[in-house]
Amino acid sequence: MASDNDNGSLDNSTALPIHISSLTKKYGDLYALDSVDLEIKSGEFLTLLGPSGSGKTTLLMAIAGFNRPDSGSIRFGDQEVILTPPHQRNVGMVFQSYALFPHMTVAGNVAFPLKLRGIGAQECEQRVAEALETVQLSGLGERGIDQLSGGQRQRVALARAFVFGPRILLMDEPLSALDKKLRERMQIELKILHRKLGVTTVYVTHDQREALTMSDRIAVINHGRLAQVDTPEVIYNHPANAFVADFIGESTMLPLDQDQAGNLHYKGSTIARKPPGDDADGWSLVVRPEHLSIMADPKTDNDKTIVFRGKVVETVFQGETAFSIIAIDDQTELQIRFGTGSKAKSGYPQSGADVSVGLGRDDVIVIPGDQRQ
Amino acid sequence: MSWWTRPASDTQVTHGDRFWLYVVASVIMLLLVLPTFIVIPMSFSDSQYLEFPPSNWSTRWYEVYLGSTKWMRATATSVQVGIITMLVATPLGTMAAYALFVSGHRAAKALFMFLITPMIVPVILIAIGTFYAYGRMGLNNTITGLVLAHTAMAIPLVMIVITAALRSYDLNQERVARSLGATRLKAFFLITLPQIKFSVVTTALLSFLTSFDEVIIAIFVSGGVNATLTKHMFAALRDFIDPTIAAISTIMVLVSTILLLMTQFIGVKEK
């Protein structure tokens, strides 16, 4: 696993940590990056996740050296690189468009960074062959780029990015041009490749599922600020704020009322105690569809379960899962997700039916902020 | 099914339906090339005067042209100015097009428009302006003056062709090259240039032609030993019309056609 050595040295380790502090970049009046602090550990796979325009690509390009931030610092290990031009940063990079050189063969593409470093023909050839083997393209070195499939192009772009042994690898939505099946397979392959190379990897995507699948840690970014940086499990199960809760996974947010004793309520049900040491304006309950279950007969709250009553608006079958939309009042709808197959034979709730929906108290997620309009 | 009722394309439009289009297109093409084709037989006339159709055939006017020091010197000037213009305008225009394409600065568009104005402003205005400006600078009747004026005329062409080429090129390739260790200059020469090279060659040929065919500016700012072929032809037309002009025109048509065909051929190759 990633080492916690934050002073990361330039010795012969295979990866470098990246220290980013107070990084700011403005385009006109708009903050693309607003004083971003981020510690990327040596060897870790960190994903920058955010909607388009959130600043994730700006941050990646700043690390690569293609845009110069207005202020702040980026250090690779203990070396400040903010003024270092891209070609001296020794960073492997994979673009969404692959950006393979069409006037060169596969081997020519992969050899490009080696030739720039003056590596002799024989070693060059050997390293290209090794890199192509790593991405399972052995024997395709003499092919032209236009003779490759999308997935093969992706692998060439990867091989080219790591063949010269960079200690940092940057990827800008590298899988988004592939179809779903191939994309999911490449996600696993990239993860395996990352483990093999042990190189610090910064990955940009807007696809939360991809981020959850691949990352050691996820940095959720919005409006040029980091909304939360943590492991996929923590990001998903303990979102720090409404943006993260809403952006990662599906959720409904219910505004909570606070009493004198520090308890939070929703429509008379006691949900939780106010989290200590945090004094927000308001609090919301995050309800995820997979945390809910339909209760056999009408019940009320108890030690283990919070119960919502509502009417089924619609039930939708989606293959591996199905979900129902349940209106618990005029303005609020909950979604509940079920497994399908033999277990679900008892049938799904019919639209129009009155149901009781249970939320286990272990699954209660309370975030600061009150979405009440 | 006869040709007349066969579909002309994937649609159901037949050649018959389209017949009017073929007629119009043929007439237009004829009007465009006819003047050129009339000159060619006239150049092979035996007559003292421009005559069509010629009553007797000969190549005497080609001999006159090739044997005349005056015509030969003018031809040398034209070729020399054309080549230097090509060598100056191609890199300058390519660099300008690249810079404006890559910069994304808000002034880039305005600057682009500014640099292609020589294409929009009537050439006679440029010629008059250049003449007076050169008068003060002592550049009239010099090769340098001609090259500068022709370069200004050729740069817009270069910029338009190169910008079009860059549009269909993924600039991320250059970024990748830089991340892989290439300086910006190396990235341009190793990655970008090889992919737009046919457009660059095309613009070089077009630059040469722009200069070689140019007459209006040449009339004003070239003269004496540095008068261009076109200027001499224009003067000859005014002073003594003889079929030498037709012979030279034919040769120029041939040169231009060959160069244009080359650009077409190159253009196809880049696709």
Side-chain angles (χ1 to χ4, degrees):
Chain A
M1 265 308 284
S3 94
D4 266 324
N5 173 18
D6 274 349
N7 296 319
S9 49
L10 282 163
D11 61 315
N12 49 5
S13 65
T14 52
L16 276 179
I18 305 172
H19 314 283
I20 295 166
S21 57
S22 323
L23 204 67
T24 298
K25 171 83 182 170
K26 270 177 97 171
Y27 289 116
D29 288 336
L30 192 87
Y31 280 95
L33 295 175
D34 189 356
S35 195
V36 170
D37 296 299
L38 182 60
E39 295 289 326
I40 303 169
K41 294 172 196 159
S42 182
E44 109 174 300
F45 194 118
L46 181 123
T47 298
L48 299 172
L49 175 66
S52 56
S54 58
K56 57 188 192 301
T57 301
T58 309
L59 182 53
L60 191 81
M61 291 301 162
I63 298 173
F66 292 119
N67 67 43
R68 183 186 290 188
D70 303 327
S71 60
S73 147
I74 301 174
R75 282 180 301 135
F76 294 170
D78 46 19
Q79 188 188 6
E80 175 64 58
V81 295
I82 201 103
L83 296 176
T84 310
H87 68 275
Q88 287 170 0
R89 292 199 184 192
N90 218 27
V91 158
M93 183 136 195
V94 180
F95 280 87
Q96 182 178 4
S97 59
Y98 313 146
L100 296 174
F101 310 136
H103 58 300
M104 300 178 186
T105 60
V106 168
N109 268 272
V110 180
F112 184 78
L114 301 175
K115 286 192 174 142
L116 285 171
R117 284 164 177 76
I119 288 167
Q122 203 175 350
E123 192 193 339
C124 196
E125 202 174 312
Q126 190 193 336
R127 283 174 73 170
V128 168
E130 280 169 17
L132 287 178
E133 197 187 318
T134 308
V135 296
Q136 300 163 35
L137 286 180
S138 290
L140 296 189
E142 293 318 306
R143 289 266 181 100
I145 298 305
D146 52 1
Q147 293 169 278
L148 301 180
S149 69
Q152 289 172 325
R153 286 175 199 211
Q154 179 56 63
R155 288 160 204 258
V156 176
L158 262 170
R160 186 178 63 180
F162 70 71
V163 67
F164 60 102
R167 289 183 288 182
I168 292 166
L169 200 55
L170 307 177
M171 302 195 216
D172 186 13
E173 310 218 11
L175 304 182
S176 60
L178 302 177
D179 65 63
K180 187 166 177 283
K181 270 212 167 121
L182 191 53
R183 190 165 67 232
E184 281 167 2
R185 224 183 70 209
M186 285 301 293
Q187 286 170 4
I188 306 299
E189 277 186 33
L190 274 181
K191 210 173 163 159
I192 294 168
L193 180 69
H194 170 252
R195 195 176 308 143
K196 207 179 318 183
L197 299 172
V199 60
T200 309
T201 303
V202 184
Y203 189 96
V204 161
T205 185
H206 64 269
D207 181 341
Q208 41 129 342
R209 197 172 192 80
E210 191 162 292
L212 292 170
T213 306
M214 304 177 71
S215 320
D216 292 326
R217 287 194 306 155
I218 299 174
V220 185
I221 186 165
N222 187 34
H223 295 312
R225 289 164 175 268
L226 294 178
Q228 188 174 7
V229 185
D230 220 314
T231 61
E233 290 82 359
V234 174
I235 294 261
Y236 190 83
N237 292 323
H238 305 285
N241 49 53
F243 177 78
V244 176
D246 184 52
F247 193 70
I248 316 271
E250 297 166 53
S251 63
T252 307
M253 268 166 266
L254 305 176
L256 301 177
D257 298 313
Q258 191 174 333
D259 67 15
Q260 296 295 325
N263 288 316
L264 300 171
H265 304 276
Y266 181 73
K267 288 189 179 172
S269 300
T270 306
I271 303 295
R273 281 201 60 79
K274 185 171 76 96
D278 215 340
D279 231 3
D281 272 351
W283 301 91
S284 295
L285 173 67
V286 178
V287 183
R288 299 230 186 255
E290 71 275 17
H291 290 161
L292 293 175
S293 55
I294 299 274
M295 314 199 73
D297 27 60
K299 281 193 178 133
T300 50
D301 294 358
N302 59 37
D303 286 356
K304 287 194 170 136
T305 318
I306 300 161
V307 177
F308 303 94
R309 297 227 175 120
K311 201 183 259 298
V312 179
V313 178
E314 186 62 76
T315 296
V316 176
F317 176 78
Q318 286 186 314
E320 70 271 36
T321 59
F323 74 87
S324 294
I325 299 167
I326 292 162
I328 55 172
D329 63 34
D330 286 350
Q331 282 136 44
T332 316
E333 288 177 346
L334 294 180
Q335 283 196 22
I336 167 167
R337 196 167 274 286
F338 324 98
T340 54
S342 57
K343 272 188 227 158
K345 260 209 178 107
S346 52
Y348 311 115
Q350 297 300 304
S351 33
D354 287 310
V355 289
S356 293
V357 179
L359 171 67
R361 289 198 182 272
D362 291 345
D363 292 327
V364 163
I365 305 167
V366 172
I367 56 166
D370 182 340
Q371 312 300 308
R372 232 176 315 216
Q373 306 286 311
Chain B
M1 212 168 13
S2 75
W3 174 83
W4 189 263
T5 54
R6 218 180 304 143
S9 66
D10 289 341
T11 63
Q12 291 305 307
V13 181
T14 64
H15 286 290
D17 294 335
R18 273 199 179 172
F19 192 68
W20 66 272
L21 190 61
Y22 299 154
V23 173
V24 171
S26 308
V27 169
I28 291 173
M29 281 194 274
L30 221 58
L31 280 172
L32 287 174
V33 299
L34 217 53
T36 311
F37 284 143
I38 286 175
V39 169
I40 295 172
M42 282 187 346
S43 72
F44 291 99
S45 157
D46 193 32
S47 159
Q48 287 280 357
Y49 308 98
L50 284 171
E51 182 188 55
F52 185 84
S55 38
N56 286 299
W57 302 91
S58 97
T59 56
R60 58 182 283 203
W61 300 111
Y62 288 87
E63 284 155 31
V64 169
Y65 165 65
L66 294 169
S68 149
T69 340
K70 189 191 79 175
W71 284 119
M72 283 299 102
R73 185 188 292 143
T75 307
T77 301
S78 277
V79 170
Q80 186 189 358
V81 170
I83 288 174
I84 301 176
T85 299
M86 172 179 93
L87 293 178
V88 176
T90 309
L92 276 184
T94 303
M95 287 194 286
Y98 175 82
L100 293 179
F101 184 78
V102 173
S103 88
H105 194 275
R106 75 186 83 153
K109 233 176 199 155
L111 209 53
F112 187 90
M113 290 313 291
F114 175 75
L115 284 169
I116 64 167
T117 42
M119 221 173 169
I120 298 154
V121 176
V123 184
I124 186 79
L125 287 183
I126 297 175
I128 295 169
T130 309
F131 176 72
Y132 281 105
Y134 281 9
R136 297 188 167 219
M137 296 187 274
L139 283 173
N140 277 326
N141 301 345
T142 64
I143 297 279
T144 314
L146 259 181
V147 165
L148 287 178
H150 283 174
T151 299
M153 297 297 290
I155 279 177
L157 270 176
V158 177
M159 288 181 67
I160 287 168
V161 174
I162 298 295
T163 303
L166 288 172
R167 268 208 193 105
S168 59
Y169 166 73
D170 179 11
L171 264 179
N172 278 335
Q173 285 184 40
E174 219 175 76
R175 283 185 164 172
V176 157
R178 287 161 67 197
S179 78
L180 295 174
T183 60
R184 212 160 178 174
L185 199 65
K186 254 190 185 162
F188 177 80
F189 279 106
L190 292 176
I191 303 301
T192 307
L193 193 58
Q195 291 180 65
I196 60 167
K197 67 179 173 201
F198 295 114
S199 298
V200 173
V201 174
T202 301
T203 60
L205 297 176
L206 288 176
S207 300
F208 176 82
L209 272 185
T210 302
S211 165
F212 191 69
D213 282 347
E214 204 285 323
V215 59
I216 301 173
I217 293 173
I219 286 173
F220 278 79
V221 308
S222 84
V225 289
N226 288 328
T228 68
L229 191 55
T230 49
K231 168 152 187 172
H232 271 300
M233 288 170 74
F234 193 78
L237 271 175
R238 196 182 52 206
D239 302 338
F240 52 96
I241 296 177
D242 78 28
T244 316
I245 304 283
I248 300 169
S249 298
T250 304
I251 291 170
M252 286 185 78
V253 166
L254 205 67
V255 171
S256 302
T257 308
I258 289 169
L259 290 183
L260 280 176
L261 283 177
M262 279 167 74
T263 64
Q264 288 303 304
F265 178 69
I266 287 163
V268 168
K269 225 172 137 188
E270 192 159 67
K271 286 292 140 59

